[in-house]
Structure formats: structure tokens, C-alpha cells
Amino acid sequence: MRAMTYRGPYKLRVEEKDKPSIEHPNDAIVRVQLAAICGSDLHLYHGMMPDTRIGHTFGHEFIGVVDEIGSSVEHLQVGDRVMVPFNIFCGSCWFCARGLYSNCHNVNANATAVGGIYGYSHTTGGYDGGQAEYVRVPFADVGPVKIPDWMHDEDAVLLTDAAATGYFGAQLGEIAEGDTVVVLGAGPVGLIAAQSAWLMGAGRVIVVDHLTERLEKARTMAYAETLDYDEYDDIVVELKQQTDFLGADVVIEAVGAEADGSCLQHIAGTKLKLQGGSPVALNWAIDSVRKGGTVAVVGAYGPIPSAVKFGDAVNKGLSLRMNQTPVKRQWPRMFEHVRNGYLTPRAMVTHRFPLENISEAYHVFSAKLDGCIKPLILPSAS
Amino acid sequence: MTDPSKTHTRSTDELPIAYVPDRPQLRETPEQLRARIPGWGADLDPADRPSHPKLRYDPDGTGAHWRFPERQPGAEGRERSIEHAFVTPVFGTAQPLHGVSGHIRRLAYARYSEARLGHWLLLIVGDRVDAWGSHVRSFATLRPDNPVTQTGVLSEFSADGAARRGRSDRRHHLLDPVIVAGPWVAGAGAAVFGARRLLRRMAR
Ligand SMILES: NC(=O)c1ccc[n+]([C@@H]2O[C@H](COP(=O)([O-])OP(=O)(O)OC[C@H]3O[C@@H](n4cnc5c(N)ncnc54)[C@H](O)[C@@H]3O)[C@@H](O)[C@H]2O)c1
Ligand SMILES: [Zn+2]
Ligand SMILES: [Zn+2]
């Protein structure tokens, strides 16, 4: 089969690989029909995630058709069209039994501090991902869901991660009616977080980024106020002025480890890999939220320590809430919101690339060329 | 710099709200928000949101029909975090450890827990050794690494040959060449410097 493979930082190619096979009785093999590149994939692509092996196939946002099932699979049949949450999870460990699907203890032998994720290095379990023609889906009775007839494929593929994460981020903020919510980052995750903040009763939503097309999208798709941080000497001061010196009730950090905004942190974190990434956005969140407020972090960070302003967080009495998204837990309610038009994931799709051109897709998305917000990948077999 | 019309409604005596006890007044009523924003307030009740409460014990609602999953064969000798009691019942089998990078990575797993920086630094060294090794080995294959196609830089031009629109923020234009090329220039400088010292020493 054809599959994207990692060849080292900033380098990848499409290779002929063996089609995956059933390795456990509850496995399924899914033939991928549509996949996407996530902002998280950029952290791998840039060589920031420890134990990313040459030859690894990325991709944790995908939908497809069940091609084969293992002997113990009860809930799926060959031919079912499924959407697959980015989390690999068993459904029965201590954590899964309590709804923490992204923190499953039975699927990632390589680390205990993170669960299993498709195509996301060996640090999340060493599973090849869905930017390929076929993918192995463990625990087929637990993760995948049949795509409802009414759902658009492009909504379905974004619900497997980016959209679910935006919605989850807004929930982590514990938004109360009338709250002022700041969203840092107007990527796919931040845009859905902004839409979701309104559903939870926000009185004001302010989105901060520095890419004009994304800020434009935040205004048209999420009805948000926007701030381009490149236009301000100090975005924290601007946010204080905007909120009558109180600070925001809730800040959602949807940027992660490759934040721009401080040259020194950026170079130390993302270029020299001296820390687990650049925590600029996280520090902006801590400094611009009001005392006693909540910072919700869905931006991804590596396992290496970063220079976070923890003292400010303590002294301000903040609640810091965060996780990888337990995707499937969000779905029933999100399906309603998508159906009602309250959440509009596919409005963010700007580019569609054939799998064979995936190295270009990564370059365009990574370098933010062409106003790219969300690129989709179409495997040749589909 | 701030447009006063954009700020939060102030308290009546014109002191910023943070310095007085009043609650900030809403700039729009719920009715106005509901009229303007599709779905405003659909998840208003915090207790009725899918991720609340964080821990919700429901082992029967996951689809799992086992107490502990059957064990996937092939766990013997597979690397694992020493914070785990055993290799997990299900595990990834992509890219098993091999060669020099495999030894480095195996040491990282066997020697250090995830709590130790050594674990992660060794894994990063393993990554670089793996990358360089694969790069060199690729030249002995029919498909050597090709930096032009693999980095996708040709996508700077779209299919019709026209240049793609560059990024819309300005600082990157200025800094990217420095940040991307800087380490290479510094590395090349160091190499030249080192080689010259070596040559001089050998000449002596
Ligand atoms: N927790 C999870 O489960 C989960 C799931 C998906 C993605 N993520 C993470 O969420 C983050 C966002 O994902 P995405 O797909 O939207 O990525 P993206 O790269 O498309 O978007 C990130 C945005 O942040 C902006 N940005 C950079 N520095 C900033 C700063 N200092 N302040 C404000 N904005 C800044 C960028 O211009 C960009 O628009 C990534 O770190 C990703 O890894 C986490
Ligand atoms: Zn992702
Ligand atoms: Zn589990």
C-alpha cells in the first residue's frame, strides 16, 4: 500500500509499505477514505517529539471503510464506514472506565504519561497512522463509530480530533454565562474553541493570532473579536485594557509548543530543542487571565521541561485545566451541534492534497502558505 | 492604542471595574447574543457538558467486553517504560528497534523512567542517529533521499507555476531565514574552524 513515511525533520515521502494485518483479536483494518494533517503533526514533522522513528507513518485524523476484522470484534462489520477517534484506548483500564480515554493505560507500552495515538511517534505507542491507504485500528469495538448518514465526510474527519479538541478546550475553561473568553491561536482547534465558547454562554470571545486569514476566519465563522498580536508591543497589556484591567475570565491556549511571539523562547524551544517547546502562548494565558480565573490548555507540549511562569499561576490563584482530548466522549453532543449548524468544522478546510503530494501538503501547512488553515489528504485508493 | 468603545462596560464612576466590587455589566444581553450567534447557550448548564465531571465511572458504556484485554502476541523483548508493570496488552509494532539508534533507544527505556531528563535526551540522540543513518543508507538504495521532493519546497509554487501566497504575518519573513539558516551557517563555521585547527596541528 502507499503510505506517508517520515525521513527526518522536515522531510517525508510516500513509500510502498506492507498492508497492516490483524495483530490482536479486537483489531480492525480500515481502508482510509479521507485523512487530515493536524497542527500536532507539525510537532512531529519538525522533529520535536522524542522517539519519532524513520519510516513512521503519521496521521491521527482519518475516516474510512472497515476492510478486515479480528475474531473478537462484535460491533463492526466489514464494509462499515467509520470515523476513528485519534485516541487508541481499551475501554476497560482504570482510566477508560472513568472516561479518561486519552489517558488509557493499556495501549502505550512506551510511556505512562500519555495514552495511545495513531501515527504519533513511539512515545505514544508506536502505531502507524492514517496518512496511508490502510491503517490498523486496535480495539475496534471501543473507538470507531459508524458515520451517520447525514454527516459530511469533511465534518466527520475533523471530528476525529481538531473539532473535538476545540470543543473540549472550551469545556475545560468551565465557562459561566457572561464570561469573557480569550482564545490564543486561530488554527482549527482555536476556531472551534471560539465557536464552542458561545455555546457555553460566553459574553465575549476574543481570538488572538497573527495570521490575517485565520483572524478573518475567527470573525466570520466564530463571530469573535480578534487581535493580531504582531500589532501590539505587549499583547498582555492590550488584553488587560480590553477587559477593564480585570483580565479574561477564561483563556483557552490552542497554540502549543511551537508558539511564536518571543524570539528567544522560540529559538530555544523549537529550533534548538533546549526545552519541551516554546511556552510563550501558555505564559501569555497565565498573565492575561484574571486572578482566580481558568486557563484551559489544549496546545500540545513535549515531555521535555519548558520555562512556564508557574509562580504567576500560583500567585494569581488560577485553575489550570488540560488534557489530550478524550474524543469519543465529545461526540454524541457534538454530532447534534454539527447537525444544527452550531459547529462548522468543514468551513475551515482550505486545501485538499492527494496522498502522493503529501510532502507539499506538510510544507504548505507548516509554512502557512496560501492562507492554509486545514489541509485534507486523499489516499489514492479512495 | 486601545479604542475605548471596545473595552468592557465600565462601572458608573468611571473607575476600571477591577478596582471596584461591581460585576462587569454585559455588553450584550443573552437575547441579543442568542439572536446573533447560532447555538448561543446550547451548553449553558456546566453540569450538562460531555466532559463533566472529569471522572465519570461507566465501565459498561465503552464497548469493551473484557475486564482485561487479551494479550497481543510478541511482547517479549519489546521496549517499555519502566513505569509500566509490563508491556501493555496491546502495543504498536511499527518500526521495531534496530541498529545503533536501537541500542541508544533501548538504553533510554531500560535505564531511565519518564521522570528523568536522561530518558528523553537519549531518545532525541537516538532520533538523530536514526535520521543520519537512514539518510546515508538511502544512497545505497534505488531511492536515495531527495531534499527537494521530501521537504515539499516545490509547493512554494502551485500547480500552474505561480507563486503561492506567503505567510500573512510579517515577523516571520524577517526571522525565518536567520533562524533556519543560522544554525547551518554557525555549524559550517565551526567545522571550518575545527578543520583548520586540526590541519595546523597535524602540520606541526
Ligand atoms: N490536546 C489535544 O488533544 C490536541 C489535539 C489536537 C491538537 N492539539 C494541539 O493544539 C494546538 C493547535 O492545533 P492546530 O491544529 O489548531 O494548529 P495550528 O498550527 O494550525 O494553529 C496554531 C495557531 O497558533 C498561532 N500562534 C502561534 N504562536 C502564537 C501565540 N504566541 N499566540 C497566539 N497564537 C499563536 C499560529 O499562528 C497558528 O495559527 C497544537 O499544539 C496541537 O498540537 C492538541
Ligand atoms: Zn491532532
Ligand atoms: Zn484504557
Side-chain angles (χ1 to χ4, degrees):
Chain A
M1 66 160 183
R2 306 294 287 168
M4 166 272 158
T5 56
Y6 176 67
R7 295 294 305 165
Y10 293 89
K11 289 193 284 295
L12 42 91
R13 70 184 186 192
V14 178
E15 267 175 30
E16 201 60 34
K17 268 193 176 183
D18 290 340
K19 186 182 161 195
S21 56
I22 303 280
E23 299 184 53
H24 179 277
N26 212 248
D27 280 359
I29 305 300
V30 168
R31 176 165 59 79
V32 178
Q33 289 183 310
L34 188 61
I37 306 179
C38 176
S40 304
D41 290 325
L42 297 179
H43 309 325
L44 293 184
Y45 177 60
H46 298 155
M48 308 234 348
M49 185 70 159
D51 211 357
T52 303
R53 300 187 189 171
I54 303 302
H56 197 54
T57 298
F58 301 168
H60 55 268
E61 292 179 309
F62 60 92
I63 61 171
V65 182
V66 176
D67 189 66
E68 247 182 281
I69 51 173
S71 57
S72 81
V73 175
E74 295 175 359
H75 305 151
L76 287 185
Q77 288 175 342
V78 170
D80 285 343
R81 294 194 70 233
V82 288
M83 46 204 287
V84 183
F86 80 82
N87 326 102
I88 299 172
F89 61 112
C90 75
S92 60
C93 69
W94 195 96
F95 304 92
C96 285
R98 286 158 182 80
L100 298 181
Y101 306 148
S102 50
N103 310 103
C104 177
H105 215 57
N106 270 335
V107 290
N108 181 2
N110 297 69
T112 57
V114 56
I117 303 178
Y118 292 96
Y120 208 68
S121 85
H122 277 65
T123 295
T124 70
Y127 299 89
D128 270 339
Q131 289 162 7
E133 288 180 311
Y134 294 91
V135 59
R136 171 192 173 205
V137 172
F139 294 114
D141 281 336
V142 179
V145 162
K146 288 178 213 165
I147 303 173
D149 290 334
W150 55 266
M151 193 181 283
H152 194 288
D153 279 2
E154 294 188 352
D155 282 328
V157 75
L158 296 195
L159 280 163
T160 63
D161 178 5
T165 299
Y167 186 61
F168 178 62
Q171 290 174 71
L172 289 178
E174 310 220 290
I175 296 165
E177 185 170 345
D179 273 356
T180 294
V181 178
V182 167
V183 179
L184 298 181
V189 172
L191 290 168
I192 296 286
Q195 279 193 331
S196 306
W198 292 123
L199 305 188
M200 290 161 214
R204 234 186 131 182
V205 177
I206 305 171
V207 175
V208 179
D209 202 303
H210 65 158
L211 297 171
T212 48
E213 64 279 1
R214 291 176 177 220
L215 291 171
E216 166 74 19
K217 194 60 122 183
R219 290 190 291 272
T220 55
M221 172 184 142
Y223 308 94
E225 298 167 50
T226 57
L227 293 174
D228 177 342
Y229 65 79
D230 278 349
E231 285 177 10
Y232 300 93
D233 178 44
D234 186 336
I235 190 69
V236 171
V237 174
E238 176 62 19
L239 286 167
K240 289 289 166 65
Q241 290 182 353
Q242 290 268 342
T243 53
D244 224 13
F245 296 91
L246 201 58
D249 298 297
V250 175
V251 178
I252 302 170
E253 198 275 60
V255 178
E258 294 188 69
D260 284 311
S262 155
C263 195
L264 198 68
Q265 290 260 25
H266 187 70
I267 293 174
T270 54
K271 303 300 175 192
L272 304 181
K273 296 161 179 78
L274 296 180
Q275 49 175 354
S278 147
V280 178
L282 180 51
N283 286 336
W284 284 356
I286 289 171
D287 286 329
S288 56
V289 74
R290 71 162 162 77
K291 284 174 261 192
T294 302
V295 172
V297 187
V298 283
Y301 289 84
I304 297 190
S306 335
V308 177
K309 300 185 70 182
F310 211 74
D312 284 359
V314 172
N315 297 336
K316 293 178 74 170
L318 303 185
S319 299
L320 301 182
R321 308 230 28 225
M322 61 209 93
N323 203 349
Q324 294 279 342
T325 307
V327 171
K328 199 171 174 183
R329 209 167 145 172
Q330 322 306 316
W331 277 356
R333 185 72 56 84
M334 284 193 89
F335 286 11
E336 288 172 35
H337 291 335
V338 169
R339 197 168 197 181
N340 289 329
Y342 300 165
L343 297 176
T344 57
R346 78 186 136 101
M348 307 184 292
V349 175
T350 50
H351 290 69
R352 295 161 187 86
F353 292 91
L355 176 61
E356 293 297 324
N357 297 357
I358 197 165
S359 50
E360 275 140 51
Y362 269 84
H363 182 71
V364 168
F365 184 47
S366 166
K368 315 293 188 228
L369 301 180
D370 229 8
C372 185
I373 298 178
K374 187 76 184 180
L376 300 183
I377 300 297
L378 298 123
S380 14
S382 73
Chain B
M1 198 183 283
T2 305
D3 167 7
S5 66
K6 284 202 300 186
T7 60
H8 235 293
T9 310
R10 289 166 179 249
S11 61
T12 43
D13 51 7
E14 288 303 312
L15 282 167
I17 204 78
Y19 301 89
V20 293
D22 327 14
R23 295 190 51 187
Q25 286 180 353
L26 292 181
R27 306 198 314 170
E28 290 173 279
T29 63
E31 290 65 42
Q32 287 169 319
L33 287 164
R34 213 169 255 128
R36 183 166 79 85
I37 291 150
W40 185 88
D43 291 320
L44 205 52
D45 178 6
D48 182 35
R49 295 174 187 166
S51 285
H52 180 90
K54 176 157 125 181
L55 298 181
R56 191 164 57 197
Y57 187 66
D58 181 21
D60 302 325
T62 65
H65 39 89
W66 48 79
R67 181 162 176 274
F68 180 77
E70 209 171 306
R71 284 181 189 267
Q72 177 180 328
E76 313 74 39
R78 190 198 187 279
E79 78 281 4
R80 68 168 164 90
S81 165
I82 55 175
E83 292 175 58
H84 262 308
F86 40 66
V87 172
T88 50
V90 163
F91 51 89
T93 51
Q95 301 86 42
L97 295 176
H98 68 94
V100 180
S101 65
H103 285 292
I104 298 170
R105 286 165 168 154
R106 192 174 290 286
L107 176 67
Y109 283 103
R111 174 71 187 80
Y112 295 115
S113 78
E114 296 159 61
R116 306 279 293 276
L117 199 55
H119 177 81
W120 303 109
L121 294 181
L122 274 176
L123 286 177
I124 289 176
V125 172
D127 287 355
R128 299 297 165 257
V129 170
D130 190 9
W132 294 326
S134 306
H135 186 53
V136 170
R137 277 196 302 280
S138 80
F139 291 107
T141 69
L142 289 175
R143 225 187 144 190
D145 278 329
N146 176 339
V148 176
T149 57
Q150 290 180 359
T151 53
V153 286
L154 290 181
S155 62
E156 296 273 345
F157 305 93
S158 47
D160 55 9
R164 280 185 195 269
R165 212 152 24 96
R167 37 188 313 146
S168 60
D169 63 313
R170 286 159 289 137
R171 286 189 196 180
H172 258 278
H173 290 300
L174 223 64
L175 282 177
D176 271 357
V178 181
I179 292 172
V180 173
W184 292 99
V185 173
V192 169
F193 181 73
R196 277 173 54 185
R197 274 184 46 168
L198 196 70
L199 282 177
R200 233 178 283 144
R201 196 169 303 166
M202 288 194 316
R204 246 185 260 144

